[in-house]
Amino acid sequence: MKNMKKAILFYVTCLMLAGVSLLFSQSSSHISDAITRFPANNAVNVNPDTHLELTFPSAPTIGDSGEIRVYCADNDSLVDILYMNIPAGPTKPTPCPGAIYNPVPYKYESGNFTNANTLPGTPSGLARPTPFNYQLTIIGGFTDGFHFYPIIVHDSTTATLYLHNNLLQYNKTYYVQIDSGVINTKDRGFKGFSGKTDWVFTTKSAPPDADADWLVVNSDGSGDFNTVQGAMDFIPDFYTKPVTVFIKNGDYEEIVYFRNKTNVTILGESRDGVVVHYANSEVFNPHPLNLKTNEWPGTFPSRRAAFMVDNSSNINLVNLTIKTTCFGQAEGLLVSGEKILVSNVTIGGSGDALQTNGTAYYVDSRIDGHGDTILGRGAAFFQNCIITSYGPYMWIRNTDANHGNVFVNCTFDTQGERETTLARAPENGGFTYPYIEAVLINCALNGITPAGWGQIGGDPSNVRYWEYNSTNLSDGKPVDVSQRHPDSRQLDKEKDAEHLTNYTNPAYVLGGWTPQLAPIILSQPQSISVKKGQSATLEVKVAAVPRAEYQWYRNGKAIKGATKAVYKISKTKSKDAAEYTVEVKNRSGSMKSQAAVLTVL
């Protein structure tokens, strides 16, 4: 009898345990089903540069243990691994980890990394030992590696997972495993993925054509690439044919770094709609200890910006927003190259929002920073730009080999409650720059001290702090320059006519380079319907250097006098109902708009 009772008790216990197990299994399955994966499970035609995303029913948090692993389904070989117990990067200015440059990048082949010292999560190349191992990834072939966040969660329900760059390949099937504790949910229900079928995707069979001159980046995976970096990595070094990288509207949270590129236009679908950003800074990605300076020309060790152009030429950045989300020494954009053209771009950074080395031309752009907003060695020409800052606007370091910073028809709009100077002293860490140059012509100023310029120190005889026709931003009246720094200079219209002619000519400032950009239509004229007698306005927005000329057409015939970006009909008549187009042109080329239909009711 006792044995029978024990048997019954054992049987009931087993049933209860089985029920709990089934319940847990159903619960886990339910939780997994509630998680949206990107790429979707069993997705095909995935770009190899994709990030991975998990969207949960509620906001997840990032754990500090476990691993994320990616395997090739062909042979179950490990392709990539992220260790969550390794910190992303430094959070304090000291001690700064250092690294020595090494030309060998990491690459995973046949089950092994080609260089054992470049395992993700360890110092790359010939890096000096550091107090901690930080997450490292190779970006754009810069083999010292960049610290990066393996998972990013903002105030949302989506966790974005960042694999190490360029390890996934075309025409491969991969499966992802995530340990419990990598990502936590409020109900602690997410236990990760452990099998071979929880998260599977297959990459595209082949990359774009090698000679493609138009590459599309779209974060949703519908373009040629998911990331800006993926597109730039695809373009061969020193490729002579022009290539346009068109970025669809979207949020691109990534460090972008490329070098040795030529003849590339990076074009955003819309200035505010394309945002490339990252929380990068000198603290998070510091200079190597053994290469503390980065004088132009030559390889520079800076890894601290969100978007970096290095040793490249004939690069056009058009119609997008680039920014860092860190404070401190943290550029949104850092360029070192020749013939860099930046048009209709918003640049956001902190102390050094823009670093510009080599010949660069900035037009119709906005630069927002906290102080030392523009850093660099020149030559840089700014036209029709808005610059904001809380502290000194510039820290200039040009030598007598080239010009410095020249601003024509620009706005300097100081933020905060205190006045500041246009430039700080030409000295940095024991280095002095006696030939620094900053020239302002027809600029509007707000919040600038009466002296205008910071202390110079040393021999000021070769310093060019020059102004002409500075006006108050508030009322357009001439600035009171009676208390300007004694070593600065106010140019005279007649006596300095030659200087004014020269310094309003970009080619003079930029070593003979005349910036040119064939017209690009940034926004097309839109079809509209109006009642008879009402006004009708058609408009096109264009990026072009030099400025574009316009000609509007009604049903294919030129409209006399319609030669501006905006065409307005004050009182519409029935005969005004038609198709309207506009041709834009300059000496670099021409472009016709799409047709806009005007309907008169």
Side-chain angles (χ1 to χ4, degrees):
M1 188 69 178
K2 289 183 178 179
N3 290 336
M4 183 176 291
K5 288 182 177 180
K6 288 181 179 180
I8 293 173
L9 180 61
F10 177 75
Y11 179 70
V12 172
T13 302
C14 288
L15 286 176
M16 291 177 63
L17 289 174
V20 171
S21 177
L22 179 61
L23 179 63
F24 179 78
S25 175
Q26 290 175 340
S27 176
S28 298
S29 175
H30 174 73
I31 291 168
S32 296
D33 291 342
I35 299 170
T36 301
R37 302 158 181 79
F38 176 83
N41 194 28
N42 297 314
V44 296
N45 294 321
V46 175
N47 291 315
D49 67 319
T50 187
H51 301 319
L52 308 181
E53 293 181 359
L54 292 173
T55 301
F56 298 86
S58 59
T61 57
I62 303 171
D64 57 4
S65 64
E67 302 171 359
I68 300 170
R69 296 174 298 277
V70 179
Y71 294 88
C72 181
D74 291 346
N75 54 13
D76 295 326
S77 61
L78 179 65
V79 174
D80 195 11
I81 185 169
L82 297 168
Y83 301 96
M84 294 307 297
N85 63 338
I86 299 175
T91 57
K92 296 181 180 179
T94 55
C96 288
I100 299 174
Y101 290 102
N102 176 21
V104 181
Y106 72 74
K107 190 174 182 181
Y108 194 86
E109 290 181 343
S110 302
N112 292 292
F113 286 95
T114 57
N115 187 327
N117 289 327
T118 55
L119 282 167
T122 65
S124 64
L126 301 175
R128 293 176 177 176
T130 61
F132 302 98
N133 287 334
Y134 296 113
Q135 301 282 354
L136 280 171
T137 189
I138 305 298
I139 303 177
F142 195 47
T143 54
D144 284 336
F146 289 77
H147 300 140
F148 76 108
Y149 296 96
I151 303 178
I152 295 178
V153 176
H154 294 296
D155 296 329
S156 69
T157 58
T158 298
T160 304
L161 286 57
Y162 290 80
L163 302 178
H164 294 92
N165 285 358
N166 298 320
L167 293 184
L168 301 187
Q169 300 176 7
Y170 286 94
N171 199 30
K172 295 287 185 180
T173 297
Y174 298 98
Y175 60 89
V176 183
Q177 293 183 350
I178 301 176
D179 289 344
S180 176
V182 168
I183 300 174
N184 300 314
T185 54
K186 189 175 182 180
D187 59 6
R188 301 186 180 276
F190 180 63
K191 303 301 180 183
F193 301 135
S194 59
K196 298 181 181 181
T197 60
D198 289 338
W199 196 358
V200 183
F201 59 88
T202 301
T203 56
K204 287 181 177 177
S205 59
D209 292 339
D211 59 353
D213 59 5
W214 183 271
L215 302 173
V216 177
V217 177
N218 199 335
S219 58
D220 68 4
S222 62
D224 298 304
F225 300 93
N226 287 45
T227 65
V228 180
Q229 189 63 47
M232 297 309 300
D233 287 343
F234 173 78
I235 300 171
D237 288 356
F238 304 114
Y239 190 61
T240 57
K241 296 181 179 179
V243 178
T244 296
V245 175
F246 179 65
I247 310 174
K248 298 286 287 183
N249 285 340
D251 183 272
Y252 299 86
E253 189 163 12
E254 56 176 301
I255 295 175
V256 175
Y257 169 87
F258 60 86
R259 63 178 295 132
N260 303 335
K261 305 301 180 186
T262 57
N263 304 307
V264 179
T265 295
I266 300 175
L267 171 64
E269 183 177 7
S270 67
R271 181 167 173 171
D272 296 330
V274 174
V275 181
V276 183
H277 65 103
Y278 203 81
N280 201 11
S281 70
E282 176 68 27
V283 172
F284 189 65
N285 271 303
H287 282 59
L289 290 176
N290 57 309
L291 289 170
K292 197 61 180 173
T293 61
N294 60 331
E295 300 301 316
W296 175 261
T299 299
F300 71 104
S302 284
R303 297 173 293 173
R304 69 193 192 190
F307 197 113
M308 287 158 278
V309 180
D310 180 21
N311 198 43
S312 297
S313 62
N314 292 292
I315 305 296
N316 302 322
L317 302 178
V318 183
N319 207 39
L320 70 158
T321 293
I322 297 168
K323 64 181 182 180
T324 183
T325 53
C326 271
F327 290 93
Q329 290 179 294
E331 288 94 346
L333 175 64
L334 193 159
V335 299
S336 288
E338 297 295 340
K339 301 179 181 179
I340 311 297
L341 188 151
V342 179
S343 174
N344 284 272
V345 174
T346 299
I347 302 166
S350 189
D352 310 333
L354 166 67
Q355 186 177 153
T356 178
N357 307 304
T359 51
Y361 178 76
Y362 302 86
V363 61
D364 298 327
S365 294
R366 181 184 180 99
I367 306 159
D368 296 317
H370 296 129
D372 300 337
T373 296
I374 300 173
L375 170 70
R377 295 148 189 86
F381 194 101
F382 299 81
Q383 190 161 15
N384 303 317
C385 292
I386 298 172
I387 306 104
T388 71
S389 186
Y390 289 82
Y393 279 84
M394 287 173 271
W395 200 350
I396 315 161
R397 299 180 187 176
N398 68 281
T399 68
D400 59 346
N402 58 264
H403 288 283
N405 297 342
V406 175
F407 303 86
V408 177
N409 299 327
C410 291
T411 297
F412 292 79
D413 189 6
T414 305
Q415 307 298 297
E417 299 179 355
R418 294 190 299 178
E419 293 181 332
T420 189
T421 57
L422 292 165
R424 66 151 67 201
E427 186 272 335
N428 176 44
F431 292 93
T432 58
Y433 302 87
Y435 293 92
I436 59 170
E437 178 179 76
V439 179
L440 276 65
I441 298 175
N442 298 329
C443 292
L445 312 181
N446 170 56
I448 303 299
T449 62
W453 307 90
Q455 293 302 313
I456 294 176
D459 181 7
S461 58
N462 292 308
V463 171
R464 289 188 173 182
Y465 282 165
W466 291 357
E467 284 179 89
Y468 173 76
N469 191 36
S470 292
T471 57
N472 295 316
L473 180 61
S474 58
D475 57 17
K477 295 180 180 179
V479 168
D480 180 0
V481 294
S482 61
Q483 300 181 58
R484 279 298 194 251
H485 193 291
D487 293 318
S488 67
R489 176 178 171 183
Q490 296 295 312
L491 299 178
D492 182 85
K493 183 177 182 180
E494 295 181 359
K495 294 179 181 180
D496 296 306
E498 183 177 357
H499 284 320
L500 292 171
T501 298
N502 287 336
Y503 279 92
T504 52
N505 176 15
Y508 174 81
V509 176
L510 301 176
W513 171 49
T514 299
Q516 296 186 61
L517 178 68
I520 300 173
I521 294 179
L522 304 180
S523 62
Q524 298 280 350
Q526 300 297 306
S527 297
I528 54 174
S529 298
V530 297
K531 292 181 179 180
K532 188 188 301 184
Q534 290 183 330
S535 65
T537 301
L538 297 168
E539 183 177 3
V540 66
K541 185 178 180 182
V542 173
V545 179
R547 294 286 185 185
E549 298 175 355
Y550 301 85
Q551 178 60 62
W552 286 88
Y553 294 82
R554 180 190 296 114
N555 291 334
K557 294 184 179 181
I559 305 171
K560 186 177 180 179
T563 56
K564 295 182 179 180
V566 178
Y567 176 60
K568 186 174 182 178
I569 304 172
S570 298
K571 293 184 178 181
T572 55
K573 301 176 183 178
S574 297
K575 67 178 183 179
D576 292 321
E579 277 192 351
Y580 290 83
T581 57
V582 60
E583 182 181 22
V584 291
K585 64 180 181 179
N586 63 12
R587 62 171 175 257
S588 301
S590 63
M591 189 175 188
K592 251 188 180 176
S593 74
Q594 298 174 1
V597 177
L598 172 60
T599 302
V600 180
L601 304 174

